[in-house]
Each structure stands twice: as structure tokens, then as C-alpha cells.
């Protein structure tokens, strides 16, 4: 039986029983193999564009005796599935910008898909923005630390016609208890549910992100170009806003 990492287990726990799943960028096909072994899914496509992982996924499925349930296919993004073939898509372990571009390029393949389970390594705001602009309702956000890295898992469902107009309400600018203003952009960046819950690991993540942003400002300040000066001020403003949010929520938790 396959044993998953904490990160993949968190994704697996969100897959509904009886699903037909496409795992995009499946690597060694560990996630669909686990889901099939646990009887959670009835069918799966493990998609992988890189030859090495594709061959590893084929071996994994063959050795697990799951070839009747899991099809391993070589291809880029959602090109490995046909419209209506699956009802759940999982994508994990890549940047949010790439993830959003995969979803955008494969929009025609999302027919019949009712749930997306997404784990971007960085750039989560790109994923949230894509979901918002394409009729997907962000249902939950979870954050975890594993082996010194911090991951977010986002689940989304296809919004019904009566829900489309209200999707933006999740990212509507809001005020925190002591009056700190949180913009729509910051909610997309930091996570509307995560800001509400503010778990300890989320603070750790954003303290680390602030250090990265400060380094960017320092680099930009080495240049006298007008564009660099403007960008440095923009990033400095972003740092100030993030610090305000963190300070406010830390005070509330105390």
C-alpha cells in the first residue's frame, strides 16, 4: 500500500468517494494509486509531461495492479483528458502562475468537472484570481508545513448560475477588528479563509515572505532607474500592508 506525504494526504482527504480523477503532473502517480487502493475513486487519469516521471508512473500503476482503474498518459496539462471524462481534477507541486495557465489553456476540458483540488508551491494569488474570473467558488484553504516547506491546498467547486454574481464577495475589501483595512488584492494574495483562521504556520509563511520582499526592495534600490524606484515603492507599500495585517491578527489571537 502506498503511503503519502502529509501534503499529498491533505489533497487525498479532499477527494470525494466515487470520483473520477485526473491528477495533472502526477509524477510517480502516488496520489491516484493511493486513492484507488483506498477505494475512494472509481477511475483516474495520471497525466505527466516529463518522460522520467511518466515511466515511473507507469511502473507504479502496473506493479500495484491498478491498470484497470488508472490510465497513465503522457501530455501537457489538461491535454491528457477528454471533456466529460473526469469530475475531479488535482494539480499539485508547481507554481501558481503555471497552474493558472494550465487551467486557462485547458478550459474546454473542464466540462463535467465539479471540483478542483489545487496545491500551488508559490504564487497562490494567481490560482485564486483564475478561479474568481472563471466561475469557480473557492470552498476552502488549508496550510501545512512539511520538511521545512509550507504548502497551501485550495479546493474549489464550479459555481452555479445563482452563485456567479456573489463570487467576488469572498474577496471584498474588509476591515479587521482594530480597523486595519485589507484590500481585495491582499485577500487574493494571503487567502480569505486563511486570514480568517490565521493559523500559526500561516504567520510563519508570511514572515518568510516579508524577508523575500525586503530583499527585492534592497535590490531595486541599487538602481537609479525610474521604473526601479517606482517598483521599490510599490513593493514597500505591499510590505507595510502585509505587516499591518499580521500585527493586527497576532494581537487578536493573543
Amino acid at each position: 500500500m502506498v503511503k503519502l506525504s502529509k501534503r499529498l494526504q491533505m489533497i487525498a482527504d479532499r477527494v470525494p468517494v466515487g470520483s473520477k480523477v485526473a491528477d495533472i503532473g502526477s509524477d510517480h502517480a502516488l496520489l491516484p494509486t493511493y486513492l484507488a487502493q483506498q477505494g475512494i475513486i472509481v477511475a483516474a487519469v495520471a497525466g505527466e509531461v516529463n518522460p522520467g516521471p511518466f515511466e515511473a508512473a507507469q511502473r507504479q500503476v502496473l506493479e500495484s495492479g491498478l491498470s484497470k482503474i488508472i490510465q497513465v498518459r503522457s501530455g501537457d496539462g489538461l491535454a491528457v483528458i477528454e471533456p466529460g471524462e473526469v469530475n475531479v481534477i488535482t494539480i499539485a507541486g508547481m507554481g501558481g502562475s503555471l497552474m493558472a495557465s494550465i487551467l486557462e489553456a485547458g478550459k474546454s476540458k473542464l466540462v463535467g468537472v465539479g471540483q478542483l483540488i489545487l496545491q500551488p508551491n508559490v504564487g497562490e494569488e494567481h490560482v485564486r484570481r483564475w478561479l474568481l474570473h472563471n466561475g469557480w467558488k473557492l470552498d476552502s484553504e488549508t496550510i501545512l508545513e512539511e520538511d521545512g516547506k509550507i504548502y497551501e491546498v485550495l479546493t474549489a467547486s464550479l459555481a452555479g448560475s445563482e452563485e456567479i454574481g456573489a463570487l467576488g464577495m469572498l474577496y471584498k475589501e474588509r476591515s479587521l477588528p482594530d480597523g486595519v483595512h485589507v484590500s481585495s488584492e491582499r485577500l487574493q494574495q494571503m487567502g480569505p479563509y486563511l486570514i480568517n483562521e490565521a493559523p500559526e504556520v500561516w504567520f510563519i509563511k508570511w514572515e518568510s515572505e516579508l524577508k523575500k520582499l525586503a530583499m527585492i526592495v534592497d535590490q531595486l534600490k541599487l538602481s537609479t532607474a525610474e521604473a526601479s524606484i517606482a517598483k521599490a515603492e510599490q513593493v514597500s507599500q505591499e510590505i507595510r500592508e502585509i505587516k499591518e495585517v499580521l500585527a493586527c491578527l497576532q494581537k487578536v489571537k493573543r
Side-chain angles (χ1 to χ4, degrees):
M1 296 289 279
V2 164
K3 182 171 174 58
L4 299 180
S5 64
K6 281 168 58 179
R7 174 180 68 92
L8 288 180
Q9 187 64 56
M10 186 168 282
I11 297 168
D13 291 344
R14 282 151 180 74
V15 176
V17 174
S19 297
K20 295 178 180 178
V21 173
D23 185 37
I24 306 303
S26 195
D27 196 15
H28 287 53
L30 293 178
L31 178 61
T33 298
Y34 171 86
L35 292 169
Q37 288 176 338
Q38 297 297 320
I40 295 169
I41 58 172
V42 296
V45 174
E48 180 54 59
V49 71
N50 297 309
F54 169 71
E55 290 164 9
Q58 286 184 310
R59 284 195 301 274
Q60 174 69 61
V61 172
L62 190 63
E63 289 169 7
S64 300
L66 294 169
S67 299
K68 290 184 178 179
I69 297 177
I70 304 169
Q71 294 184 44
V72 181
R73 298 178 188 169
S74 177
D76 194 7
L78 302 187
V80 297
I81 59 171
E82 295 300 323
E85 189 175 14
V86 300
N87 57 9
V88 176
I89 289 176
T90 59
I91 313 178
M94 64 184 72
S97 181
L98 175 58
M99 196 172 286
S101 68
I102 285 173
L103 291 167
E104 180 64 25
K107 277 204 280 195
S108 64
K109 303 296 183 78
L110 294 174
V111 174
V113 175
Q115 186 169 31
L116 302 174
I117 306 171
L118 310 169
Q119 182 269 298
N121 284 349
V122 295
E124 295 85 359
E125 66 269 25
H126 297 289
V127 177
R128 293 187 182 100
R129 203 169 294 129
W130 187 90
L131 294 171
L132 174 62
H133 293 154
N134 288 278
W136 289 82
K137 181 176 61 168
L138 183 65
D139 293 319
S140 71
E141 301 173 317
T142 314
I143 189 167
L144 77 153
E145 183 274 333
E146 184 174 32
D147 297 332
K149 295 181 180 178
I150 294 175
Y151 304 100
E152 293 182 16
V153 177
L154 315 179
T155 63
S157 57
L158 187 61
S161 55
E162 72 286 353
E163 297 173 305
I164 291 289
L167 287 180
M169 292 301 293
L170 187 60
Y171 303 102
K172 186 177 180 182
E173 57 186 49
R174 63 178 81 160
S175 292
L176 298 177
D178 69 349
V180 168
H181 177 75
V182 189
S183 67
S184 174
E185 180 185 6
R186 211 58 62 220
L187 287 164
Q188 289 176 35
Q189 181 186 32
M190 303 179 79
Y193 295 113
L194 291 172
I195 281 179
N196 283 347
E197 297 158 14
E200 190 57 38
V201 66
W202 180 79
F203 285 106
I204 294 169
K205 170 185 173 157
W206 282 103
E207 291 295 347
S208 174
E209 292 299 318
L210 284 172
K211 289 176 185 174
K212 293 176 190 174
L213 290 170
M215 288 173 65
I216 291 171
V217 172
D218 289 343
Q219 287 297 313
L220 288 167
K221 284 182 175 178
L222 296 175
S223 170
T224 56
E226 222 171 276
S228 296
I229 293 169
K231 182 66 176 176
E233 178 47 43
Q234 179 190 333
V235 178
S236 295
Q237 178 60 28
E238 182 181 351
I239 289 171
R240 287 191 289 270
E241 291 181 14
I242 292 170
K243 282 183 173 179
E244 283 183 348
V245 171
L246 295 181
C248 172
L249 292 175
Q250 282 167 335
K251 191 188 301 181
V252 169
K253 288 184 83 71
R254 283 199 296 269

